[in-house]
Amino acid sequence: QDNIKLTEDLALDLGARADYVAAESVDPFAALVAPLVAPGTPATYDDEVIVANLNGSLTYAFKPTLKGYLTYNYSENYGGAVGNGGGIKPVSSKNDFRQPSTLWEAGIKQSLLENKLFLGAAAFRQERVATQLDGSNRAFTYDGFEIELNYQPNKNFYVTVAYSYLDAHSDRPQFDVNNVAY
């Protein structure tokens, strides 16, 4: 990560990370039952992948206690179906370790009362892909805004009041399990 001071009031933060994931799993039940019920069904899963996370944030100080920012983040996320608690499905070749997510956020932050009261507001859009219970991938779009007020008169006490609005959309209906849509 790097912070580049472009002018006295304008700065650019850049960051990048790559995660190497080596996944190997065995489903003991499938190893015992699959040969009897469904010969040829895999009971193990083995894969390696590198996933990326890139971010950049441009900040501008309107005055010492008032700053605005514009942030972009791209990440590749790994894990199984959300309804299964994430993780790796041991008997499936549908593990998708490159579930992309992009986030744009613009906001403003104000410090008041000699850095004891903080007010922030932001608007954002996130587009991401997530694996469903049936192994398919589904695209989601989230638009929203948030307003937050924090009061911290000392290091032992703080109060936060916040409001968030989220409008979420998907590219298709959710996979349905036991008449409960996740």
Side-chain angles (χ1 to χ4, degrees):
Q1 184 168 329
D2 194 15
N3 176 272
I4 304 165
K5 194 140 177 97
L6 302 172
T7 69
E8 186 64 30
D9 298 324
L10 187 64
L12 179 63
D13 290 309
L14 298 172
R17 185 182 84 213
D19 293 336
Y20 168 76
V21 180
E24 181 179 335
S25 64
V26 177
D27 184 340
F29 180 74
L32 290 173
V33 175
L36 303 172
V37 179
T41 302
T44 63
Y45 178 82
D46 188 9
D47 197 8
E48 296 179 33
V49 69
I50 296 176
V51 292
N53 188 322
L54 309 168
N55 59 67
S57 189
L58 191 63
T59 59
Y60 183 77
F62 296 100
K63 54 186 182 175
T65 60
L66 179 65
K67 294 184 179 180
Y69 67 91
L70 175 63
T71 297
Y72 172 79
N73 177 266
Y74 171 81
S75 63
E76 293 173 341
N77 305 287
Y78 47 90
V82 175
N84 287 336
I88 299 161
K89 297 173 290 203
V91 296
S92 173
S93 61
K94 291 188 176 188
N95 285 292
D96 190 352
F97 288 100
R98 288 190 179 95
Q99 300 172 1
S101 172
T102 58
L103 171 70
W104 285 97
E105 182 174 326
I108 196 159
K109 295 182 178 186
Q110 173 78 51
S111 172
L112 304 163
L113 301 178
E114 297 176 0
N115 292 326
K116 292 184 169 91
L117 182 66
F118 305 93
L119 176 63
F124 59 87
R125 169 171 268 226
Q126 181 182 24
E127 295 174 349
R128 64 183 281 266
V129 172
T131 301
Q132 304 304 291
L133 288 171
D134 66 350
S136 66
N137 285 333
R138 184 172 173 206
F140 294 89
T141 301
Y142 306 92
D143 294 309
F145 68 89
E146 52 197 20
I147 300 170
E148 184 175 51
L149 183 68
N150 297 296
Y151 177 63
Q152 186 171 1
N154 60 56
K155 67 179 185 173
N156 299 317
F157 177 80
Y158 70 91
V159 174
T160 299
V161 177
Y163 174 80
S164 295
Y165 172 80
L166 183 66
D167 183 18
H169 303 277
S170 178
D171 64 339
R172 61 185 170 81
Q174 183 83 355
F175 178 70
D176 197 17
V177 176
N178 297 330
N179 295 325
V180 177
Y182 290 95

